[in-house]
Amino acid sequence: MISVRQLRRTFGPIVAVDNIAFEAAKGDVLGFLGPNGAGKSTAMKMLACFLTPDSGTAQICGHDILTDSMAVRKCIGYLAENAPAYPEMTVGGFLDFVCDARQIKGMARKKALDRIVPMCSIDSVYHQTIDTLSKGYKRRVGLAQALIHDPQVLILDEPTDGLDPNQKHEVRQLINEMARDKCIIISTHILEEVEIVCNRAVIIARGQILVDSTPKALKEKHHCTLDEVFRKITSTKKIA
Amino acid sequence: MNGFWAVYKRELKGYFATPVAYVFLVIFLFIAGWWTFRDGFYEFRQADMTIFFRTLPWFLAFMGPAAAMRLWAEERKTGSIELLFTLPITVSQAVIGKFLAAWTFLAIALVLTFPIPVTVAYLGDPDAGLIIAGYVGSLLVAGMFLAIGSFFSALSKNQVISVILACVTCLALMLAGLPTTLNYLSAALPAGLLGVAESLFVQTQFESMVKGMVAFSNIAYFLILITGWVAACSVILNERKAS
């Protein structure tokens, strides 16, 4: 469902993403791991058609991100890093706006809202304005926005960042429930999360993919916990 | 088309979701009315709105940028622009949607000045055509200043910077049409060019409309400039939406 080919993006002299390539199929939950500034977010922004790559391209659901970005945007759900939303709007008004933009009308909209609001547990804040919400609720609203059209491909940039342990658990459960019939990419630097939700782990550092494997295989190969594997692979300091 | 309507609706509602719209409308209506009476609306003893329309563009040179400053600067500052452009909405749909929402908002402000024409009609027998022409002209000037405002709003993340740059540009366009500038230009330019330069000024175009001479060229002048600034705005956004 996702096929990335030699994607590269620079910001001035900094190479944020350097010729990355990978494939992901339906049923995959691909964990994008890497230290800060590794290029995870940049890569995801390019897949979500917010940034244009300098070179290379990607195909999502058979549509090219460069030539047919509207079709790509229609079939993906994207949650950006800080779950941006319009602070002056109510949660309900905000979801209505997203439905407007995604052409979900009439009965379909009612059904979508009836499904998504309990799913993301935002019933209690539905009429509140977004800037009065706590960080956890804001992120859930962001998640609701990304899921409202039941997309085939989900791109979630640090979906559990800033949530309390219960909320983290809920979001992970949500991802596990959806995993079967979607293709999901999540970025995170919480490694236990990868073990719980992901069936693939891609480790990226300094813009390049260092490892594309499964969490289990990684642990077996290196005979240690994911934490240590991660440190071994991404650490810039040479281990003597 | 859907993207356009979604943005338009959200933006117009956005004005009224915060106190911004009400503060804006109260200040706008108060100053527009106060200015008209200060300049001798009664003393003039004429049943028309010349005085109102004469000062309005000056006032719009501030209120236009003020109404437009949040359009893009806020999106970029809060990062919601990333949400907007990962929804199936193109840059031009969003730019036009936002611009038209702001224009609708200023049109509402202009409609709310209705007590002035009502007063004129009560006191005398004004030429309705003249008043309508004045309002159409004002709406076009407002649209142009909004287009300038939205351009500068896209240029800077900082609303203060964007509003100042936009006000200065609008005022420069207004000042260029003053008699003093024209006198200066008449010494420097040959007669043929002077006519061309004069016809490029906002005031020349606006005043001929207020006098009731609404020509195709007047309307085309404003529409071309509006289109130009709005197009420049989408070029800028395409370039730096992510920065």
Side-chain angles (χ1 to χ4, degrees), chain A residues 114-126:
Chain A
D114 285 347
R115 180 177 62 87
I116 212 75
V117 170
M119 193 168 152
C120 300
S121 342
I122 46 174
D123 330 45
S124 59
V125 295
Y126 193 74

Side-chain angles (χ1 to χ4, degrees), chain B residues 27-173:
Chain B
I27 294 177
F28 179 82
L29 295 173
F30 174 77
I31 296 185
W34 172 77
W35 217 327
T36 308
F37 287 99
R38 193 206 63 166
D39 281 2
F41 176 69
Y42 287 130
E43 290 82 348
F44 223 52
R45 306 195 76 78
Q46 268 182 28
D48 64 23
M49 291 175 63
T50 322
I51 293 181
F52 173 73
F53 289 128
R54 203 174 56 199
T55 47
L56 198 58
W58 289 99
F59 188 36
L60 286 173
F62 293 98
M63 295 313 259
M69 70 178 182
R70 58 188 281 278
L71 291 182
W72 292 106
E74 202 169 82
E75 293 265 359
R76 289 181 54 200
K77 187 132 196 168
T78 62
S80 52
I81 192 165
E82 193 171 340
L83 173 93
L84 187 65
F85 289 133
T86 49
L87 290 171
I89 296 173
T90 63
V91 171
S92 35
Q93 279 173 346
V95 168
I96 297 171
K98 279 191 175 238
F99 167 73
L100 287 182
W103 207 5
T104 310
F105 175 65
L106 275 195
I108 294 172
L110 282 174
V111 167
L112 289 176
T113 60
F114 71 90
I116 298 176
V118 168
T119 310
V120 175
Y122 176 76
L123 292 174
D125 185 21
D127 182 346
L130 213 55
I131 291 181
I132 291 170
Y135 270 115
V136 171
S138 306
L139 192 61
L140 288 171
V141 172
M144 183 171 129
F145 290 161
L146 276 176
I148 294 173
S150 69
F151 170 80
F152 283 107
S153 175
L155 204 61
S156 168
K157 269 184 203 177
N158 187 322
Q159 293 200 20
V160 176
I161 293 177
S162 78
V163 79
I164 289 175
L165 287 176
C167 278
V168 168
T169 310
C170 293
L171 277 179
L173 285 172

Side-chain angles (χ1 to χ4, degrees), chain A residues 50-51 73 78 86 100 103, chain B residues 2 9 75 82 85 89 242:
Chain A
F50 182 63
L51 282 177
R73 285 186 257 173
Y78 174 62
Y86 293 102
D100 276 343
Q103 286 177 262
Chain B
N2 283 285
K9 247 170 68 185
E75 293 265 359
E82 193 171 340
F85 289 133
I89 296 173

